[in-house]
Amino acid sequence: MKETPLSNCERRFLLRAVEERKRLDGRQSYDYRNVRISFGADYGCCIVELGRTRVLGQVSCELVSPKLNRATEGILFFNLELSPMAAPAFEPGRQPELLVKLNRLLERCLRNSKCIDTESLCVVAGVKVWQIRVDLHLLNHDGNIIDAASIAAIVALCHFRRPDVSVQGEEVTLYTPEERDPVPLSIHHMPICVSFAFFQQGTYLLVDPSEREERVMDGLLVIAMNKHREICTIQSSGGIMLLKDQVLRCSKITGVKVAEITELIQKALENDRKVRKEGGKFGFAESIPNQKISAFKMERAPVDTNDVEEQAEEIIMKADPPSDFVAKPILRMPGTAQIGEGLENSWGDFEESEREEEEEGNSDDATTSGGQKMETEEINIVSKTKKDDDTIILSDSEEEEVVILEPEETHKKTR
């Protein structure tokens, strides 16, 4: 699976942030991410976290025959694996170009710098030597793999203990940890890699680039150095032209960062040594911080359960006996019942309320019809009669006046 490419907006945003001396995670240009080291239950197993980049280191050993041209030296072997668990772009079963470069850089940094005394790994010259294998697994990728891998490799080697052996003639006896204490490796110095990302042909510089910063950088410079300020290896990639002053400035920054990381490694190893010696808890499970939901914690109240039965009997004896009252059902309305002492329903009988509403409605209708009848009674009754001379007489019952209208006036009146 191919990695998701950055859009033009993201690329311009990152480059603009670099120009303004700003980074996405809030660091300054020369700031290093936090380094966290935790050890496993066995010797030679550790996890190094560089920000969100996590690398698991595991060291193993076995007795093998030495190389023909180096009969008195042990063998060091480094293997870095990029699994799809770290990033979807890493495919299993394939060795990308990045993996080949990282393995070569690790070998130059750790093996070619002679940080481990390989002659101390010889058991019988030309017959048996120790082969030390360092396996590094990338658990999560968030940029700067080489720095995290170099720290994990040197920490695992410092933490590792090989079994003790004894030689009698040509017979080699291998002792278990219960029979004899394991023997640590002879380490001369601790080389650590520090990476520098360059932007706009070396104009801008960032220490410990993240994954997104690595996508937009023009070149990368990796310097491996120990706390004595001895450069073990240096590698530049990306095809950028660097000035002498830029390389010297990077080497000075590397010396400061390496001294801080070396002190951190020594403290972590010393703490693990004390915990194992005192018999305390150790391992990855113990190193995981507890995620607490709340900061408050209730203390457990001590409860005395010695005389629980006697106290219960005393409470029962002192308590009042139950009453002999038997509740009877009370029928409030059809379909409902009440058992025991309780208050009456404050809502009343729904059917009675409905009947009252109907009666009130009927009484209102009656009053309105009565009023209409009274109004009709008050209206004057006008009767019309027709006479022989075509005159119309209008009679008023109350005033008893008779009005005789002529035919023309009658026609107007009817209109």
Side-chain angles (χ1 to χ4, degrees):
M1 179 179 178
K2 294 183 179 180
E3 62 181 359
T4 305
L6 288 178
S7 63
N8 293 333
C9 295
E10 291 177 317
R11 188 177 297 275
R12 287 195 297 267
F13 177 81
L14 290 170
L15 293 176
R16 181 67 179 274
V18 171
E19 293 177 0
E20 296 179 0
R21 308 290 183 180
K22 297 179 182 179
R23 306 179 75 169
L24 297 181
D25 50 7
R27 293 181 291 158
Q28 299 297 325
S29 300
Y30 296 161
D31 288 348
Y32 213 78
R33 286 178 289 183
N34 294 330
V35 180
R36 185 172 180 271
I37 302 172
S38 55
F39 298 97
D42 299 331
Y43 285 108
C45 183
C46 69
I47 289 181
V48 173
E49 299 180 16
L50 180 60
R52 290 189 296 178
T53 300
R54 303 183 65 187
V55 178
L56 169 65
Q58 177 67 56
V59 180
S60 59
C61 64
E62 62 176 340
L63 288 173
V64 297
S65 300
K67 296 181 180 180
L68 297 177
N69 55 349
R70 296 182 179 178
T72 60
E73 294 183 3
I75 301 173
L76 282 177
F77 181 75
F78 297 92
N79 180 37
L80 175 63
E81 292 185 1
L82 306 179
S83 63
M85 179 178 61
F90 300 142
E91 298 181 3
R94 294 183 58 184
Q95 285 193 352
E97 184 179 357
L98 175 63
L99 181 59
V100 177
K101 290 182 179 179
L102 293 175
N103 280 318
R104 290 178 179 175
L105 187 57
L106 281 175
E107 290 180 357
R108 294 205 313 268
C109 174
L110 298 172
R111 185 172 61 186
N112 297 348
S113 64
K114 303 294 183 181
C115 66
I116 296 179
D117 185 9
T118 55
E119 293 184 356
S120 64
L121 300 176
C122 178
V123 179
V124 179
V127 180
K128 290 293 182 181
V129 295
W130 285 108
Q131 178 182 356
I132 306 300
R133 179 185 176 93
V134 182
D135 291 303
L136 302 171
H137 301 270
L138 182 64
L139 303 180
N140 189 39
H141 175 40
D142 191 32
N144 202 3
I145 301 174
I146 185 60
D147 289 16
S150 65
I151 297 173
I154 195 64
V155 170
L157 288 171
C158 294
H159 189 254
F160 179 67
R161 302 289 186 272
R162 65 171 179 83
D164 195 7
V165 295
S166 63
V167 180
Q168 295 180 357
E170 296 181 356
E171 184 180 356
V172 179
T173 304
L174 186 65
Y175 297 98
T176 61
E178 290 78 12
E179 296 174 347
R180 288 189 181 181
D181 293 336
V183 181
L185 300 178
S186 178
I187 299 178
H188 298 309
H189 59 91
M190 290 188 292
I192 297 172
C193 295
V194 178
S195 299
F196 301 88
F198 291 92
F199 300 86
Q200 296 185 7
Q201 298 299 321
T203 306
Y204 300 99
L205 169 66
L206 293 182
V207 179
D208 183 23
S210 62
E211 189 264 342
R212 290 184 177 271
E213 292 170 348
E214 287 181 349
R215 292 192 184 186
V216 298
M217 67 182 180
D218 295 334
L220 182 69
L221 177 66
V222 180
I223 300 177
M225 185 183 294
N226 56 22
K227 66 178 182 179
H228 307 294
R229 295 183 179 270
E230 297 174 349
I231 296 179
C232 302
T233 184
I234 184 170
Q235 175 177 319
S236 175
S237 59
I240 58 173
M241 301 297 293
L242 297 177
L243 300 177
K244 180 181 66 176
D245 296 337
Q246 292 177 323
V247 178
L248 291 176
R249 182 177 60 178
C250 293
S251 64
K252 292 180 181 179
I253 297 173
T254 303
V256 176
K257 301 300 180 184
V258 167
E260 296 175 356
I261 297 172
T262 302
E263 184 180 359
L264 177 64
I265 293 173
Q266 291 176 352
K267 288 183 179 180
L269 292 171
E270 184 65 25
N271 293 336
D272 182 77
R273 190 181 301 109
K274 288 182 180 179
V275 171
R276 292 177 185 270
K277 186 177 181 180
E278 295 174 358
K281 296 181 180 180
F282 53 88
F284 293 141
E286 300 299 330
S287 62
I288 297 175
N290 295 326
Q291 301 293 338
K292 295 182 180 180
I293 298 176
S294 175
F296 298 101
K297 182 180 180 181
M298 295 181 62
E299 297 181 358
R300 295 183 179 180
V303 179
D304 187 9
T305 58
N306 295 328
D307 302 330
V308 173
E309 295 182 359
E310 297 178 359
Q311 294 178 4
E313 291 178 358
E314 291 179 0
I315 293 172
I316 294 172
M317 293 296 294
K318 293 179 180 179
D320 296 333
S323 61
D324 297 334
F325 177 78
V326 180
K328 296 181 180 180
I330 301 174
L331 184 63
R332 295 294 182 185
M333 59 182 296
T336 62
Q338 177 180 341
I339 298 176
E341 297 180 358
L343 299 176
E344 295 183 359
N345 190 359
S346 62
W347 291 93
D349 193 353
F350 291 101
E351 294 182 357
E352 292 180 359
S353 61
E354 290 178 358
R355 294 195 197 100
E356 293 177 357
E357 291 178 358
E358 291 179 358
E359 292 176 359
E360 291 177 358
N362 295 333
S363 62
D364 294 341
D365 295 340
T367 53
T368 53
S369 61
Q372 292 177 358
K373 290 179 182 180
M374 294 295 293
E375 290 177 358
T376 54
E377 290 177 357
E378 292 178 357
I379 296 175
N380 296 330
I381 301 173
V382 179
S383 61
K384 297 179 181 181
T385 58
K386 186 175 182 181
K387 293 184 178 181
D388 297 339
D389 56 356
D390 296 333
T391 60
I392 299 174
I393 299 174
L394 301 177
S395 62
D396 190 351
S397 59
E398 292 183 355
E399 298 179 356
E400 295 180 355
E401 293 180 357
V402 178
V403 181
I404 301 174
L405 299 177
E406 296 298 329
E408 295 179 358
E409 295 179 357
T410 304
H411 181 69
K412 293 179 182 180
K413 189 70 175 178
T414 55
R415 291 182 180 179

